[in-house]
């Protein structure tokens, strides 16, 4: 029997949903540094755009409680509709179901807040009622405590969800550095969002390959001058 979980993620076999990446939801996150969380979410979003992954953005109680989606995330997808909900469970909203169905792909990558509420309920219902395969991006999601996040991840994995990280998804989509049509864009995401890995890429580009520095303007370097 074929096991779909043995299939690697490709730009042609998956879609992605961002659930409640909103400031009030982020305020409650304690399982991951919140600036790191936003960095990872935006890096994942940029990767989705590079590889033309069908993308859904959904929010809950924007005006009444949660606030507007991070502008850095929205700016990756200018003009894109935002699917507003009242339910904590995205599966309860028909617009979300319709968007997922219209994208026509059973592998659904999920980045959302909070892991133990909005992510878990959506994942369980989407697997049970929609026959979707869920790939939960652990480091582009967050819970109210580390235990809340970790045990929610365990619950979803036990139910059949696949745990992944944002950079893993990015590089799985790229797969081969010979794919030159996406190479430069992937490297740009890495340099901006991948921490020490990105610093290493900058170092290699400038010191080994003698590429210009990744700055918006020039800077004169003044030679050492010993004090008298």
């Amino acid at each position: 029997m074929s096991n779909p979980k043995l299939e690697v993620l490709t730009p042609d076999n998956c879609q992605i949903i961002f659930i409640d990446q909103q400031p009030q939801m982020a305020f409650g996150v304690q399982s991951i540094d919140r600036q790191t969380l936003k960095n990872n979410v935006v890096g994942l979003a940029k990767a989705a755009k590079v590889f033309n992954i069908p993308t859904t953005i959904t929010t809950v109680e924007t005006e009444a409680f949660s606030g507007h989606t991070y502008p850095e995330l929205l700016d990756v997808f200018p003009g894109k509709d935002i699917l507003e909900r009242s339910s904590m469970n995205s599966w309860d909203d028909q617009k979300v179901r319709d968007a997922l169905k219209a994208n026509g792909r059973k592998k659904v990558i999920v980045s959302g807040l909070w892991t133990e509420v909005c992510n878990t309920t959506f994942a369980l219902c989407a697997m049970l009622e929609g026959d979707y395969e869920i790939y939960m991006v652990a480091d582009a999601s967050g819970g109210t405590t580390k235990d809340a996040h970790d045990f929610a991840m365990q619950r979803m994995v036990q139910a059949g969800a696949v745990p992944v990280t944002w950079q893993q998804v990015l590089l799985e989509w790229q797969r081969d550095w010979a794919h030159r049509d996406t190479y430069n864009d992937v490297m740009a995401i890495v340099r901006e969002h991948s921490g020490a890995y990105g610093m290493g890429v900058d170092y290699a580009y400038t010191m080994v390959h003698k590429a210009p520095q990744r700055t918006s303007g020039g800077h004169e370097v003044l030679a050492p001058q010993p004090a008298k």
Side-chain angles (χ1 to χ4, degrees):
M1 180 181 294
S2 175
N3 181 355
K5 293 178 185 176
L6 297 179
E7 300 169 356
V8 299
L9 296 171
T10 74
D12 300 316
N13 70 2
C14 59
Q15 58 177 303
I16 190 167
I17 183 169
F18 292 95
I19 299 175
D20 305 346
Q21 294 290 357
Q22 299 164 266
Q24 183 63 46
M25 303 305 297
F27 294 161
V29 170
Q30 297 292 327
S31 62
I32 183 174
D33 175 79
R34 283 164 284 192
Q35 189 61 40
T36 299
L37 170 69
K38 181 191 276 190
N39 171 79
N40 296 349
V41 169
V42 176
L44 179 64
K46 290 178 179 178
K49 184 171 185 179
V50 166
F51 289 97
N52 297 312
I53 308 299
T55 300
T56 300
I57 300 174
T58 182
T59 52
V60 67
E61 292 293 302
T62 295
E63 296 289 345
F65 176 76
S66 299
H68 296 283
T69 301
Y70 313 140
E72 298 90 343
L73 172 57
L74 295 180
D75 283 348
V76 177
F77 307 104
K80 186 164 192 62
D81 289 342
I82 300 169
L83 309 184
E84 177 75 1
R85 315 180 324 275
S86 61
S87 174
M88 289 178 280
N89 184 350
S90 299
W91 187 254
D92 291 343
D93 193 278
Q94 189 62 46
K95 299 188 305 300
V96 174
R97 294 192 195 189
D98 291 345
L100 297 175
K101 184 176 180 180
N103 290 333
R105 302 178 181 188
K106 284 298 185 181
K107 296 182 186 294
V108 181
I109 297 165
V110 181
S111 163
L113 303 176
W114 297 322
T115 317
E116 69 270 28
V117 184
C118 304
N119 289 15
T120 299
T121 55
F122 168 76
L124 296 178
C125 291
M127 288 189 288
L128 177 65
E129 300 176 28
D131 195 32
Y132 287 102
E133 303 165 42
I134 298 297
Y135 291 76
M136 188 61 57
V137 189
D139 62 351
S141 301
T144 53
T145 66
K146 187 176 186 302
D147 278 348
H149 174 81
D150 291 347
F151 285 117
M153 289 296 299
Q154 289 184 35
R155 181 183 178 189
M156 288 185 281
V157 169
Q158 289 172 355
V162 179
V164 292
T165 57
W166 85 269
Q167 189 168 264
Q168 174 187 0
V169 173
L170 165 67
L171 299 180
E172 203 159 321
W173 284 334
Q174 176 64 26
R175 185 165 180 162
D176 189 332
W177 294 123
H179 296 161
R180 305 305 296 184
D181 53 334
T182 52
Y183 179 90
N184 288 335
D185 288 332
V186 167
M187 284 293 97
I189 294 170
V190 164
R191 288 189 288 176
E192 185 172 359
H193 294 279
S194 292
Y197 176 30
M199 295 177 200
V201 171
D202 265 333
Y203 181 87
Y205 273 35
T206 57
M207 304 304 290
V208 178
H209 302 291
K210 304 304 179 184
Q213 295 184 63
R214 185 170 56 93
T215 56
S216 58
H219 300 269
E220 183 180 358
V221 178
L222 303 180
Q225 183 177 351
K228 299 178 180 178

